[in-house]
Amino acid sequence: MASQASADVGHQTETHPEDRESWEEWDEDLVPSRSGRTRRPEPDCPVEAALAAVSGRWTTLLLRELMGGPRGFTELRALLPELSAKVLSERLRALRERGLVTVERQRGFPVRTRYALTEAGRALRPLLIELYATGEALLRLTSAAAPPGPSPVRRPPAGGPPLRPPPSHCPGSDR
């Protein structure tokens, strides 16, 4: 039996922002402008643009390190020693393509390359600070809600002594 939907109802995946305002109010704190009033992820939605800017493993850490000023490739490798040269190159390229990082090649041999945040990249600072604060709160709240008992211990395959947790690489972490 075929569906008997009325002619004025759009397809389920369509967005009709002009219709939405007539039947539902928006939370002005969460959606202060028309560009975010959508029912699916849109590239011009401010929240989606912010998330895309910081997406990708290691991206927030690179942004954190570049917030301190321009850095060379080798300097970034030293600051993030577990980050491979290949992934570092890929992330820097992605940040450059997003318009968040500029590249300056200096004369000489060997050629030195400096990476610096653009104005758009520096605009991410409050977001990184808020993400860190929110993450701390979530970790505190979710660990408080966890059932009591010993936390799982990671052991090497041969059953040797417990492994230490890896050092924190979170933006803003002093660990």
Side-chain angles (χ1 to χ4, degrees):
M1 178 177 189
S3 174
Q4 297 282 327
S6 67
D8 63 336
V9 176
H11 188 272
Q12 289 180 353
T13 60
E14 289 181 14
T15 303
H16 299 283
E18 64 280 355
D19 296 339
R20 171 111 186 214
E21 302 220 23
S22 64
W23 59 271
E24 186 176 342
E25 290 193 28
W26 292 91
D27 181 330
E28 292 295 321
D29 289 333
L30 291 173
V31 189
S33 69
R34 195 174 215 5
S35 59
R37 296 175 187 172
T38 179
R39 287 195 166 273
R40 62 182 175 197
E42 300 285 349
D44 61 341
C45 172
V47 174
E48 291 298 318
L51 290 174
V54 298
S55 70
R57 189 175 172 125
W58 295 100
T59 300
T60 55
L61 303 178
L62 280 171
L63 290 168
R64 177 195 67 193
E65 297 306 335
L66 291 169
M67 289 290 168
R71 308 249 191 227
F73 189 89
T74 305
E75 188 176 4
L76 288 168
R77 288 284 322 271
L79 290 167
L80 301 169
E82 293 184 36
L83 176 57
S84 72
K86 179 183 182 235
V87 173
L88 175 57
S89 295
E90 290 170 358
R91 294 303 173 266
L92 289 169
R93 186 178 321 108
L95 289 170
R96 193 172 65 241
E97 289 169 358
R98 294 175 193 164
L100 303 174
V101 169
T102 60
V103 180
E104 176 191 338
R105 288 184 170 67
Q106 299 170 338
R107 291 180 163 197
F109 185 80
V111 175
R112 300 220 183 261
T113 306
R114 302 285 289 170
Y115 298 88
L117 293 174
T118 63
E119 184 178 354
R122 289 186 302 274
L124 292 170
R125 183 179 174 79
L127 175 62
L128 293 176
I129 291 168
E130 193 58 37
L131 282 172
Y132 188 86
T134 302
E136 275 191 325
L138 285 172
L139 290 170
R140 185 177 62 254
L141 292 168
T142 55
S143 68
S151 57
V153 177
R154 297 181 336 153
R155 294 194 178 272
L163 297 174
R164 294 177 188 256
S168 174
H169 292 287
C170 292
S173 177
D174 292 334
R175 289 181 260 159

